[in-house]
Amino acid sequence: MGAMGIHQIDPALRWPYGFETEDDEEGQEAGADEDWGIDQEKRGRKRKRPRSAKRPRAATPSSASSSGPLASWNAVPKRPRSSAAKQGDTPRAGAVVVPSETEAAAAEEEEGTASSGGAGRKKAGWSCHQCHTAKRQMVECERCREEIYCTFCVKKRYPKLSVAEVRAECPCCRGICSCKRCSAKVKQSEPKSPALRICNSSRSAKKKKKADPSGVESTSVCNGVAPTEANDYSSLISSNGINNPSVKSDKIDTLDVRAQEESKIKHARYLLHYLMPCLTELNKDQMAERETEARNLGLKLSQMNVEQADCRNDERVFCDNCRTSIFDLHRSCPNCSYELCIACCKELREEDLQGGTCREELVSYPNRGFDYMHGGDPLPELINCEETDLSSCQPKSKKWVASRGIIRCPPTELGGCGEHVLKLRQIFPKDWLNKLEINASWLNKKLEPSNIVSGECPKCTKNENSRYAATRENSTDNYIYCPKSDNGEADDLKHFQSHWVKGEPVIVQGVLQKMPDLSWEPPHMWSEVHGSSTSSDMKNVKAIDCLSCCEVEICTQDFFNGYYEGRMYENQWPEMLKLKDWPTSNHFEELLPSHGVKYIDSLPFQPYTNLKSGSLSVSALLPDDILKIDMGPKSYIAYGCTQELGRGDSVTKLHCDISDAVNVLMHTAKVAPSEEQQDAIKNLKARHEAQDEKDCCGNFAINGNDKCHKSCVGANHASSLNYIDDEEGGALWDIFRREDAEKLKIYLHKHSKEFRHIYCSPVEKIFNPVHDETFYLTEEHKRKLKEEHGIEPWTFVQKLGEAVFIPAGCPHQVRNLKSCTKIAIDFVSPENVKECLKLTQEFRKLPKNHRAKEDKLEAGRLPPLCSQQTTRR
């Protein structure tokens, strides 16, 4: 980074947020002190806060801290990783800005002696429910007459509410209070929507008794009341002038229970319809391995007993060759515990072992210098350097084959001991999968045909609930289903399924409107997580530089200043930085409890997207006693630029997710370059164009025998679609159809030298173009793709507050037109379980050190475990 200049921002425009947080509510008093207070309240006594030691506060980072170089280059590229939250961090949910040290000290001194009791306390002793500060102008809630908020917290934490509205009904009464204590209560409580509640009531026609407010018990039938009886009973109450809230509540509960039971049965049948083919295929593979083992032992299948593996429910087992998860039948070495999945066993017998290729593949991307990345010449010592594919320099692995169908442990070079025969083992009881398939098949036959969506949708053509996204000829899927969030239509879920079952993306408008009381400003969320911490880990953040595709370290305040005001290198080329997966998804709800809970509950199509109670979410149906899959939420915070730069754009490169996903654009900030910078960008693009022609013609080509692809020249000057006038637009999406993936791979293999990756070097090696995440197709490349192969993606702009649903198996890429904050979750829908299994087989054939190699989803266990849970309903 020494060679790189950093654009300095006017101190008047610097990030207005500090690293301070709420005082008493989050520290040591959040534990024992709150428990003590609750105990005192139960005894009917007024709670007095014990005097606590004053804690030093960190001053807001000054403008001086941003001087000098802020981002350091790494000699060796690193994979994107979480830059802030660590497992050891204490969950904090503080305010964005807190009072000055003088105010805070005075407030704490007064708080030590002031009582927080009821009407008998003096106004001077009142403390804010949010920040516990007493020496400010206070607003008392006229509804509960208990909670008090300072005007400072009202303005900063609840910008949607005026002081008068808080006086009429405080955030605590409204159920939107974001303090740590209230957030914890919201997290522990059940979802308020009846559709999300898990009903554990009895299915028999029993009577349910409830106490009337007057003390008289009322009785109503819960599940056995016929509709006519219920109507007659209701009219009897009405005709007699009785207004018994208990009876009315019982009737509503009865209808809720009945509707939920019908919905659960309907969704269970829908699940089985899509899980059954996968379950049958898994059982078929296991049965084939059992038959092979029986032949090797000279036994009948009924005579063979498979030894039980020593494996706990909360333990994950992976194949030592292909790294794919093992859910039941496998082979294991009795000596060294080497474990092999049945897919690798089959390939070994066929002498076609593909899983993992038994070795790592290394590809070199040398750093040719800062000037080379901007169209100049490489460093002198690299001018005559011949590129070497390090993977070809590795010694060939020892051959590993099966002998007459019997598989021995691999040699030590491949991770085994090379001595013993691999024994067949099973994790589940004998015939468990076979019996499960029989039970699920019997229930599946009862499926009503009307429950299955056909996939036909004549509605989504040129109407308000669709968006034009492609220009394919003779195609019916050029429009994307684009409904409004909670528009009240009863058939929304079926309409969604009619598109989802065909592998089409869906856009839902207005999701952010369901979360009006939370701030999604990136500095605010950062302050919520890290509070007033002044450690070096909090002062700096690790981000990804989009030009070099490498990790850089930058001052946190400077990163957020750049989010709002932009950053550029010394040659005025825009500097694009991005944070990925912050805070880490396994800590998101812990560190941002209010944001996490509200986000999940606000997502559309809750049966699919609610990770805890979704009745059509396959991952949510896994048993409680097994290790859970990390599905999010996760955040993406990145800079953006409306103009397509062609090099160093703020992008998520082309890739394919193993699961379904929904991505919501939560916040945007537009950064407009000056006229001087626009001229500089135009001149640098001309240098990039000349360099592309030179490199493609052989100086740094992967294969010198290939012809020069001059078609890459001019790609940076291709006419882009007009996204500048869209004020609400934030991100440009390209999502390809699954059936077009093979043609897309062919195109990328042919034109791979026209793409650049780490340090702006040409792409050196391809393993699988849609899984490598090394390509981004510009407007020019998309034009050539359609010209050569007749395919094009769905292309659309994601607007603020919109949720994009991406089906598993659809290659896609994203470019940020503005600085964007997105929150996403993964989920597994029953319609796409088969696609997840297919992708797992593709991933297992990648090299061991490939970015997509890890089987995070463990798709193989989803059909049997979810079928088991469904048949138990």
Side-chain angles (χ1 to χ4, degrees):
M1 198 68 178
M4 180 180 299
I6 302 298
H7 173 57
Q8 301 296 326
I9 302 173
D10 189 340
L13 301 176
R14 294 194 175 277
W15 177 37
Y17 294 90
F19 289 107
E20 302 181 357
T21 184
E22 292 179 18
D23 185 21
D24 298 315
E25 192 168 52
E26 298 175 25
Q28 299 172 354
E29 295 179 353
D33 186 26
E34 289 190 0
D35 294 337
W36 174 84
I38 293 172
D39 183 62
Q40 297 301 307
E41 290 171 2
K42 287 181 178 179
R43 299 182 183 180
R45 286 184 275 177
K46 296 177 183 177
R47 175 187 178 216
K48 292 186 178 181
R49 301 173 50 81
R51 184 183 298 271
S52 59
K54 298 178 182 177
R55 295 178 293 173
R57 292 181 179 271
T60 304
S62 63
S63 60
S65 66
S66 62
S67 62
L70 300 177
S72 60
W73 288 86
N74 293 298
V76 181
K78 298 181 181 178
R79 290 181 61 190
R81 56 182 297 181
S82 171
S83 57
K86 298 184 179 179
Q87 291 183 354
D89 290 345
T90 304
R92 305 181 65 86
V96 177
V97 183
V98 298
S100 64
E101 293 188 14
T102 307
E103 276 187 286
E108 288 181 359
E109 183 176 353
E110 187 169 352
E111 252 185 315
T113 56
S115 167
S116 60
R121 59 188 173 189
K122 297 180 180 179
K123 289 190 177 182
W126 288 2
S127 63
C128 174
H129 175 86
Q130 187 82 35
C131 67
H132 289 236
T133 301
K135 203 169 184 178
R136 280 182 182 164
Q137 185 178 356
M138 298 295 178
V139 180
E140 182 181 10
C141 176
E142 295 179 352
R143 178 176 178 180
C144 63
R145 298 289 183 180
E146 293 180 1
E147 305 301 344
I148 305 161
Y149 286 79
C150 66
T151 54
F152 182 84
C153 286
V154 171
K155 294 177 181 178
K156 292 294 181 182
R157 302 304 296 272
Y158 309 100
K160 300 290 184 179
L161 299 178
S162 65
V163 173
E165 289 174 329
V166 172
R167 182 178 289 108
E169 188 176 12
C170 67
C172 198
C173 293
R174 295 171 185 263
I176 60 171
C177 182
S178 59
C179 75
K180 186 173 181 180
R181 191 173 183 181
C182 293
S183 298
K185 292 178 181 178
V186 171
K187 189 175 180 180
Q188 295 173 1
S189 63
E190 288 185 338
K192 295 182 179 181
S193 172
L196 301 182
R197 280 179 287 179
I198 298 176
C199 176
N200 294 319
S201 61
S202 171
R203 292 175 174 79
S204 60
K206 294 183 179 179
K207 291 188 176 182
K208 179 178 180 182
K209 294 185 178 181
K210 282 193 176 183
D212 186 86
S214 61
V216 180
E217 291 185 347
S218 63
T219 305
S220 67
V221 178
C222 278
N223 272 330
V225 181
T228 54
E229 294 175 353
N231 292 337
D232 293 342
Y233 190 47
S234 177
S235 61
L236 177 63
I237 295 174
S238 177
S239 63
N240 285 280
I242 301 174
N243 187 16
N244 190 328
S246 177
V247 174
K248 289 185 176 181
S249 176
D250 282 346
K251 182 182 176 183
I252 294 172
D253 288 347
T254 301
L255 296 176
D256 284 347
V257 169
R258 186 178 298 144
Q260 288 177 11
E261 288 298 316
E262 291 177 356
S263 178
K264 284 168 63 176
I265 294 172
K266 181 179 177 180
H267 288 171
R269 290 171 174 172
Y270 189 85
L271 277 163
L272 285 177
H273 175 77
Y274 290 102
L275 293 176
M276 271 304 304
C278 304
L279 192 62
T280 301
E281 189 65 26
L282 291 173
N283 193 23
K284 180 182 176 181
D285 293 341
Q286 291 211 9
M287 191 60 65
E289 189 66 24
R290 289 178 186 273
E291 291 171 353
T292 301
E293 178 73 0
R295 284 196 303 268
N296 292 339
L297 297 177
L299 299 173
K300 293 181 179 179
L301 188 60
S302 58
Q303 296 174 332
M304 188 184 67
N305 288 322
V306 180
E307 185 176 337
Q308 200 76 21
D310 183 16
C311 179
R312 303 187 308 273
N313 287 349
D314 60 350
E315 183 180 357
R316 289 176 178 169
V317 183
F318 291 87
C319 175
D320 286 309
N321 179 58
C322 69
R323 298 292 191 267
T324 305
S325 62
I326 296 171
F327 80 94
D328 189 15
L329 206 63
H330 64 285
R331 291 189 177 272
S332 178
C333 178
N335 180 46
C336 67
S337 299
Y338 185 95
E339 291 172 318
L340 194 69
C341 68
I342 59 176
C344 287
C345 292
K346 181 181 179 182
E347 291 174 354
L348 269 173
R349 295 191 186 96
E350 296 172 352
E351 298 185 2
D352 185 29
L353 184 61
Q354 299 182 29
T357 65
C358 303
R359 63 180 181 181
E360 294 185 354
E361 297 281 357
L362 304 176
V363 181
S364 172
Y365 283 99
N367 184 358
R368 297 184 173 93
F370 175 76
D371 191 49
Y372 175 82
M373 290 190 292
H374 290 280
D377 294 326
L379 295 174
E381 60 269 23
L382 292 174
I383 291 179
N384 297 318
C385 175
E386 292 185 4
E387 292 303 312
T388 304
D389 178 11
L390 298 184
S391 62
S392 62
C393 298
Q394 299 184 72
K396 290 186 177 180
S397 301
K398 219 170 175 182
K399 196 168 184 182
W400 180 28
V401 295
S403 176
R404 296 180 181 178
I406 298 175
I407 302 175
R408 304 187 71 87
C409 191
T412 54
E413 294 88 347
L414 302 181
C417 64
E419 297 179 0
H420 294 74
V421 175
L422 299 182
K423 302 293 184 183
L424 197 62
R425 299 283 186 270
Q426 62 185 16
I427 295 176
F428 290 102
K430 182 180 179 180
D431 293 334
W432 174 80
L433 188 59
N434 191 38
K435 293 176 182 177
L436 178 61
E437 183 190 358
I438 293 172
N439 292 337
S441 178
W442 178 79
L443 288 174
N444 189 42
K445 289 178 181 178
K446 294 186 174 183
L447 178 67
E448 299 176 7
S450 59
N451 290 341
I452 304 304
V453 180
S454 64
E456 299 295 331
C457 180
K459 302 179 182 178
C460 294
T461 305
K462 299 182 181 180
N463 64 28
E464 60 179 7
N465 285 340
S466 63
R467 186 171 299 177
Y468 192 56
T471 57
R472 307 181 190 98
E473 295 181 2
N474 301 320
S475 177
T476 59
D477 59 0
N478 289 330
Y479 288 85
I480 294 179
Y481 178 44
C482 185
K484 295 180 180 178
S485 181
D486 287 343
N487 60 8
E489 294 185 10
D491 61 345
D492 271 355
L493 186 62
K494 280 193 174 182
H495 197 163
F496 166 78
Q497 290 172 332
S498 69
H499 293 274
W500 194 247
V501 74
K502 294 186 292 185
E504 297 178 8
V506 173
I507 307 169
V508 180
Q509 310 172 57
V511 176
L512 193 57
Q513 296 174 5
K514 300 174 69 176
M515 300 173 269
D517 305 310
L518 289 175
S519 172
W520 295 94
E521 296 268 355
H524 173 89
M525 292 195 296
W526 179 275
S527 182
E528 283 271 330
V529 173
H530 301 294
S532 58
S533 174
T534 58
S535 66
S536 58
D537 292 340
M538 301 302 104
K539 287 183 177 179
N540 298 324
V541 62
K542 291 180 180 178
I544 302 299
D545 183 280
C546 295
L547 182 65
S548 66
C549 300
C550 294
E551 190 178 86
V552 296
E553 188 168 334
I554 181 175
C555 171
T556 304
Q557 182 173 343
D558 289 337
F559 175 84
F560 287 118
N561 283 338
Y563 179 91
Y564 291 98
E565 303 297 334
R567 290 173 63 85
M568 58 185 177
Y569 302 109
E570 59 184 4
N571 58 7
Q572 297 191 356
W573 188 259
E575 181 183 8
M576 297 289 120
L577 301 177
K578 61 180 180 179
L579 291 179
K580 188 175 181 180
D581 196 13
W582 173 90
T584 53
S585 52
N586 55 336
H587 287 130
F588 191 97
E589 288 189 272
E590 178 184 344
L591 298 175
L592 293 167
S594 299
H595 292 74
V597 172
K598 191 67 176 176
Y599 174 82
I600 294 293
D601 290 345
S602 300
L603 289 174
F605 310 122
Q606 281 283 304
Y608 286 90
T609 57
N610 195 295
L611 299 179
K612 296 180 180 178
S613 60
S615 55
L616 289 175
S617 173
V618 174
S619 56
L621 296 173
L622 292 175
D624 295 331
D625 59 346
I626 70 168
L627 218 53
K628 294 294 184 181
I629 307 168
D630 179 20
M631 308 298 280
K634 52 190 128 181
S635 66
Y636 300 88
I637 303 175
Y639 298 0
C641 180
T642 304
Q643 181 182 3
E644 184 179 78
L645 301 174
R647 190 177 294 195
D649 284 292
S650 177
V651 299
T652 299
K653 293 188 176 182
L654 185 73
H655 68 288
C656 191
D657 292 324
I658 195 174
S659 64
D660 305 307
V662 55
N663 184 302
V664 185
L665 182 58
M666 311 301 295
H667 182 269
T668 61
K670 186 174 182 179
V671 179
S674 63
E675 292 185 5
E676 181 183 358
Q677 187 180 13
Q678 289 178 348
D679 292 337
I681 292 173
K682 183 178 180 180
N683 294 332
L684 286 169
K685 277 189 173 185
R687 293 187 65 188
H688 296 168
E689 185 178 293
Q691 186 186 51
D692 288 339
E693 181 179 4
K694 180 180 178 181
D695 285 1
C696 287
C697 286
N699 273 18
F700 295 99
I702 297 174
N703 185 346
N705 296 325
D706 288 348
K707 295 181 179 179
C708 175
H709 293 286
K710 292 187 178 181
S711 58
C712 65
V713 178
N716 291 338
H717 292 289
S719 58
S720 302
L721 298 177
N722 186 14
Y723 304 122
I724 300 176
D725 297 335
D726 194 345
E727 289 297 325
E728 294 183 352
L732 176 67
W733 286 73
D734 296 301
I735 303 179
F736 289 87
R737 298 183 297 186
R738 292 172 185 155
E739 55 266 33
D740 294 337
E742 290 305 317
K743 291 182 179 179
L744 179 61
K745 291 178 184 178
I746 294 173
Y747 176 87
L748 293 174
H749 273 287
K750 178 181 177 181
H751 297 274
S752 61
K753 289 183 292 184
E754 300 170 24
F755 294 86
R756 296 180 179 272
H757 192 37
I758 298 174
Y759 297 125
C760 288
S761 298
V763 173
E764 298 295 338
K765 190 173 179 63
I766 302 173
F767 300 106
N768 188 314
V770 299
H771 299 321
D772 293 348
E773 203 168 337
T774 57
F775 300 97
Y776 179 83
L777 284 86
T778 60
E779 295 294 330
E780 175 65 13
H781 274 296
K782 287 186 287 185
R783 183 193 64 78
K784 291 183 348 187
L785 175 64
K786 185 172 184 179
E787 183 180 279
E788 294 180 19
H789 296 279
I791 63 171
E792 65 173 301
W794 288 288
T795 300
F796 59 90
V797 174
Q798 181 186 21
K799 300 179 181 180
L800 183 64
E802 289 186 341
V804 178
F805 284 76
I806 311 103
C810 287
H812 58 281
Q813 60 181 26
V814 188
R815 181 168 72 86
N816 295 316
L817 306 175
K818 299 176 183 176
S819 294
C820 293
T821 299
K822 308 187 195 83
I823 311 292
I825 64 163
D826 299 324
F827 65 98
V828 181
S829 60
E831 298 93 336
N832 292 332
V833 170
K834 186 176 182 179
E835 189 66 27
C836 296
L837 292 172
K838 176 185 173 183
L839 288 169
T840 300
Q841 292 305 308
E842 290 185 14
F843 288 171
R844 66 177 290 274
K845 297 176 183 179
L846 297 172
K848 287 188 176 181
N849 58 327
H850 196 278
R851 59 161 291 276
K853 181 65 175 179
E854 185 182 354
D855 186 8
K856 299 177 181 179
L857 186 61
E858 301 183 62
R861 68 175 183 168
L862 295 179
L865 292 178
C866 294
S867 297
Q868 182 186 43
Q869 294 295 101
T870 304
T871 54
R872 285 178 176 177
R873 294 186 175 186

